Amino acid sequence: MRIVIALGGNALLRRGQPMTAQNQRENVRIAAEQISKVYKGNELVIAHGNGPQVGLLALQGTAYYQHVDNKVEAYPLDVLGAETQGMIGYMIEQEMGNLLPKDVPFATLLTQVEVDKADPAFQNPTKFVGPVYEKAEAERLAAEKGWSIKQDGDKFRRVVPSPLPKRIFELNPVKWMLEKGAVVVCAGGGGIPTYYESEGKLAGIEAVIDKDLCSSLLARDLNADMLVIATDVDATYVNWGKPDQKAIFEAHPQAFRDLDFPAGSMGPKVDAACEFAEKTGKVAVIGSLADIEAIVAGKAGTRISTQFNGITYR
């Protein structure tokens, strides 16, 4: 099977952890251990989040800005996204390479993704990036830097526009790498957001594309057999956190969409899974990184497909 695995932010950095290279490597190692279990007999494409990493680079850029005598502009989000794709891809390649046979090739591709500058998302920033702050600190930074901020759990974070992905520019190189037997890491952080200027030139733009929606587009364009959205919960639940919560095992996309999921957390994952299932007739799964092997075997996670009727609970 050709499988696209979208790693959630927890695969790289857990909430509250210091953003050290060692912490990120240890988390990537855990992810690599799980993904390596499904390598045999499958073609693997790995996408990943990058919100905390982009936020850290932005903070480092701000520190430099404050230090130099002649103030310079901070690096824009598209450039920061490109930097993190290389860093995270390096860690994934190395940790996967330590687990799989030595002759397995790997490739990390800088991935540009086209967006529409007229997308309504630019008028309503919603995508969390960077570290969490206490309310007072977040409000101070927002006033100082012109950020938009929103509450994330009991903390606050910066939010930026999250336009819909339209096209993945490096799609053909991804296909070529797969044909040569490579494990491919691409579309990191939802891809580098780019758009065509009025004169037809391609340029970056200040935004962050949702990683799961981009992974869904990637999986469809690659004619993947399965999309796995790996997160920190073992399934999608109704009435999450309440005494009557129930885990969903299988669902038809329309029935799944009819349920109410938070826009800031599970919502984009649900939309991405439904979109893949509706447009391909294949299976998308939302589940725990620790259950990757069982997910691919059809025994874990929440499975979404037009082949299913209604909703089945565990």
Side-chain angles (χ1 to χ4, degrees):
M1 288 196 302
R2 178 173 289 182
I3 306 170
V4 173
I5 300 175
L7 298 177
N10 63 295
L12 303 172
L13 196 72
R14 303 185 192 284
R15 183 179 288 267
Q17 278 188 320
M19 288 189 286
T20 65
Q22 186 59 33
N23 280 340
Q24 292 178 75
R25 180 173 291 280
E26 289 174 358
N27 289 326
V28 168
R29 186 174 298 131
I30 293 170
E33 288 171 353
Q34 296 301 318
I35 297 171
S36 65
K37 294 178 181 179
V38 298
Y39 167 75
K40 189 175 181 179
N42 295 311
E43 295 179 335
L44 301 181
V45 180
I46 303 170
H48 58 80
N50 69 347
Q53 291 76 19
V54 166
L56 177 60
L57 290 178
L59 289 174
Q60 292 172 343
T62 298
Y64 174 68
Y65 172 87
Q66 294 173 341
H67 175 75
V68 296
D69 292 332
N70 296 319
K71 300 304 183 185
V72 295
E73 291 187 10
Y75 282 90
L77 285 174
D78 59 305
V79 174
L80 299 183
E83 290 183 35
T84 61
Q85 284 187 355
M87 178 191 74
I88 295 168
Y90 159 66
M91 290 185 177
I92 293 174
E93 282 194 24
Q94 196 168 79
E95 296 303 325
M96 289 284 291
N98 288 333
L99 295 167
L100 296 178
K102 300 301 182 184
D103 60 346
V104 174
F106 294 87
T108 294
L109 294 178
L110 287 174
T111 314
Q112 299 178 90
V113 177
E114 183 183 1
V115 301
D116 185 350
K117 194 174 182 181
D119 191 303
F122 287 101
Q123 306 303 318
N124 180 32
T126 59
K127 190 68 174 178
F128 290 113
V129 295
V132 296
Y133 302 97
E134 297 296 338
K135 183 178 181 181
E137 177 68 2
E139 290 176 342
R140 183 189 69 79
L141 289 169
E144 177 183 319
K145 303 177 184 300
W147 288 357
S148 295
I149 59 170
K150 287 188 178 181
Q151 190 165 357
D152 183 14
D154 60 348
K155 305 290 185 180
F156 286 78
R157 293 175 72 189
R158 182 188 178 190
V159 288
V160 298
S162 183
L164 294 175
K166 294 178 60 181
R167 176 163 58 128
I168 297 170
F169 286 100
E170 284 74 23
L171 188 65
N172 281 335
V174 174
K175 292 178 179 178
W176 299 334
M177 293 297 126
L178 288 173
E179 289 169 2
K180 295 298 182 180
V183 175
V184 181
V185 183
C186 63
I192 303 165
T194 54
Y195 76 105
Y196 281 108
E197 296 177 327
S198 56
E199 59 270 27
K201 292 183 179 180
L202 196 63
I205 193 168
E206 283 280 277
V208 171
I209 302 166
D210 182 83
K211 172 262 304 176
D212 296 310
L213 292 177
C214 185
S215 298
S216 176
L217 175 62
L218 175 68
R220 299 194 312 271
D221 287 348
L222 289 176
N223 195 29
D225 299 291
M226 178 180 288
L227 170 64
V228 177
I229 299 176
T231 183
D232 56 356
V233 293
D234 63 344
T236 306
Y237 286 76
V238 293
N239 300 326
W240 170 252
K242 299 178 181 178
D244 60 343
Q245 70 176 28
K246 291 189 296 184
I248 300 169
F249 179 56
E250 294 180 342
H252 186 281
Q254 188 55 58
F256 203 38
R257 288 184 187 278
D258 289 342
L259 300 174
D260 184 23
F261 293 103
S265 55
M266 191 58 71
K269 294 175 174 54
V270 170
D271 289 341
C274 289
E275 189 173 49
F276 176 77
E278 289 167 341
K279 293 185 177 181
T280 67
K282 298 173 183 177
V283 177
V285 190
I286 301 172
S288 171
L289 175 67
D291 295 334
I292 288 287
E293 189 174 18
I295 284 172
V296 172
K299 299 177 180 178
T302 295
R303 298 162 54 80
I304 303 97
S305 173
T306 54
Q307 305 165 28
F308 306 141
N309 294 317
I311 296 178
T312 301
Y313 296 94
R314 282 198 221 147

